[in-house]
Each structure stands twice: as structure tokens, then as C-alpha cells.
Amino acid sequence: MNEIPHYKMENQDIENTDNKNFNILSKLNISSIFENTTDSVWAINSAYEIIYANSVFVSAFYESFGINLKTGINLLLSLPKPLREVWKLQYDRSLSNESFSFIDNVNTQNASLYIEVFMNPIVINKKVIGVLLFGKDITKRKQDEQALIDSQLLLKSSLESQSDTMLFSINNDYHYLYFNSAHAKIMKYAYGKEIEAGMNILDCITSDEDRAVAKNNYDRALRGETHTNVRIFGK
């Protein structure tokens, strides 16, 4: 979701904006806009009281905390104590006229969720009178990211365990993408090079003959050809 702009309204007929009972819902017309979205949408006034909550947010909040939210309820007091201070800080930032987003890991007895929240001040007559929030459940995305990290760690551990096997990969420009410690040791022994990721492997091969042979082998592989060869490194 892209950054959401401030909601600004100029209306001389709006009076007593600090009154907690003012009708923000009708002024923003958010009910008709956000009831059909799959994201959570809610809004609070400066006293942290709910002035709008779509059905997605109400359902998710009830599932997580067992509380049925209604207009006028203090949202901070509806949260478990460990979460109140965390969310108060976020609400206060937006009530200070700051738009931003953050990711929160909400752990309850029922589930562990990752929520990406976009917070936007509600500005009327140049005064911040509340906050409009959009929440997206990104739990699946976070789980996929963690699974990828775990698989990469497992692969790296497996590759590094091959102490007697040189393993490395390069891109189309012959720059290192990965190498294991066995390959690093061979390059140090054969060519006196301390290699690093991103280096050009051909620049690390100091023997003209070895460099020419290696380039030919790499080019064959880069063209899609699978092949094997035997080489002697060093004396």
C-alpha cells in the first residue's frame, strides 16, 4: 500500500472539534469507502476513542483479544497492558501530525500475527483531531521470508560442511556470488588472493594460462553447457 495522504477539510460550520461526540464518520464518508476492503481500517479521536472501525478490524480485534469494539470505546484501554504503551507511542506520533507506517508483531493466546499499519493524522481546520489507520495482515509474507532465511542458512551450512570440496558461484560478469571456505583456501594457496564476494574471479587468477582456461570453462557453463574438467592448481 502506498503512502496515504493527510485528510484535510475546511468547513467553517464545524464547531467544537474537541467534542468526542462529533460526527467524523459522516464528514470523511469512510464507511462507504472502506467496508469492502480486505484490510483493517479504523479511526480514533485525540482521546483514543474509536470513531470508526470496519468489520475486518472489529473481527480481527475480537479474534485476538475477545473484545467487541464499538464507537466510543477507548481503544488503548481495550488492549492488553503490554501493548498499550507501544500503541500509545504510535498514536501520539500521528496525533502530532506525522504520517508513517510500521510493522508490529502481535502475540496473543490465539495467534501470532504480523501487521503492517499505515497511520495518518485526520486534520480539520488545520488541527489534528484524530488518526485514520490502515492495517494489513502480512503474517504469511513474514512466514515466507523466515522460511527463505531458514533454507538459506541450511544450504549455507551444508555447503560449508564440504571441507574437501570447492564450491562457488559467479554471475555473467564473473563476479563472485558465493564461495565456501574450501574455495577461498584454494584461491589463497594457488594465487595468493584473499577473495571477497563481488570480486571478479578472473582478476583473482594471476596465471594467464589458468585465467584463459577458467574463462573458457565459465563461458561454456554460462551458455548453458554442463561439463567437467580436471585442473592442477599451484606447483
Side-chain angles (χ1 to χ4, degrees), residues 31-80:
S31 180
S32 60
I33 300 174
F34 298 124
E35 266 309 317
N36 293 320
T37 182
T38 57
D39 295 339
S40 291
V41 183
W42 69 105
I44 61 169
N45 61 18
S46 58
Y48 315 108
E49 296 166 336
I50 295 175
I51 54 178
Y52 173 76
N54 73 348
S55 57
V56 177
F57 180 67
V58 171
S59 177
F61 201 93
Y62 182 81
E63 183 177 347
S64 297
F65 306 113
I67 295 176
N68 189 19
L69 295 177
K70 296 179 181 179
T71 302
I73 288 179
N74 188 303
L75 189 54
L76 278 182
L77 296 181
S78 301
L79 290 169

Side-chain angles (χ1 to χ4, degrees), residues 197-220:
M199 282 184 170
N200 188 309
I201 189 173
L202 296 180
D203 293 340
C204 297
I205 300 175
T206 56
S207 165
D208 292 340
E209 179 184 356
D210 288 352
R211 188 184 309 109
V213 173
K215 184 178 185 304
N216 179 64
N217 286 327
Y218 302 151
D219 288 343
R220 290 170 62 188

Side-chain angles (χ1 to χ4, degrees), residues 5 13 33 55 80 90 100 112 166 192 218:
D13 295 329
I33 300 174
S55 57
Q90 306 297 348
F100 62 96
S112 177
M166 273 200 320
Y218 302 151

Side-chain angles (χ1 to χ4, degrees), residues 58-164:
V58 171
S59 177
F61 201 93
Y62 182 81
E63 183 177 347
S64 297
F65 306 113
I67 295 176
N68 189 19
L69 295 177
K70 296 179 181 179
T71 302
I73 288 179
N74 188 303
L75 189 54
L76 278 182
L77 296 181
S78 301
L79 290 169
K81 286 185 178 180
L83 293 177
R84 289 178 192 172
E85 190 60 32
V86 174
W87 277 86
K88 184 179 185 300
L89 291 174
Q90 306 297 348
Y91 288 138
D92 287 348
R93 283 180 61 188
S94 199
L95 287 170
S96 298
N97 205 15
E98 181 180 352
S99 292
F100 62 96
S101 66
F102 71 100
I103 295 176
D104 188 30
N105 180 206
V106 180
N107 292 293
T108 69
Q109 293 181 346
N110 300 324
S112 177
L113 303 175
Y114 284 92
I115 308 296
E116 185 173 19
V117 183
F118 299 81
M119 307 190 68
N120 305 273
I122 302 172
V123 181
I124 296 179
N125 290 338
K126 299 181 181 180
K127 182 176 181 180
V128 178
I129 50 78
V131 182
L132 177 64
L133 304 100
F134 299 80
K136 182 180 291 293
D137 187 342
I138 59 168
T139 305
K140 181 63 167 58
R141 189 182 87 188
K142 280 294 188 180
Q143 290 173 341
D144 291 343
E145 289 175 355
Q146 187 59 50
L148 178 60
I149 291 173
D150 291 343
S151 66
Q152 290 173 336
L153 290 175
L154 180 61
L155 175 61
K156 184 175 182 178
S157 175
S158 176
L159 294 177
E160 284 298 330
S161 68
Q162 307 298 318
S163 58
D164 59 348

Side-chain angles (χ1 to χ4, degrees), residues 159-170 174-202 204-205 214 218 233:
L159 294 177
E160 284 298 330
S161 68
Q162 307 298 318
S163 58
D164 59 348
T165 304
M166 273 200 320
L167 297 169
F168 65 97
S169 62
I170 59 173
Y174 314 107
H175 292 163
Y176 278 112
L177 298 175
Y178 169 81
F179 56 84
N180 67 352
S181 56
H183 176 72
K185 290 178 181 178
I186 287 294
M187 294 298 287
K188 174 67 175 177
Y189 167 75
Y191 305 115
K193 286 290 186 178
E194 296 281 357
I195 60 175
E196 296 180 3
M199 282 184 170
N200 188 309
I201 189 173
L202 296 180
C204 297
I205 300 175
Y218 302 151
F233 290 90

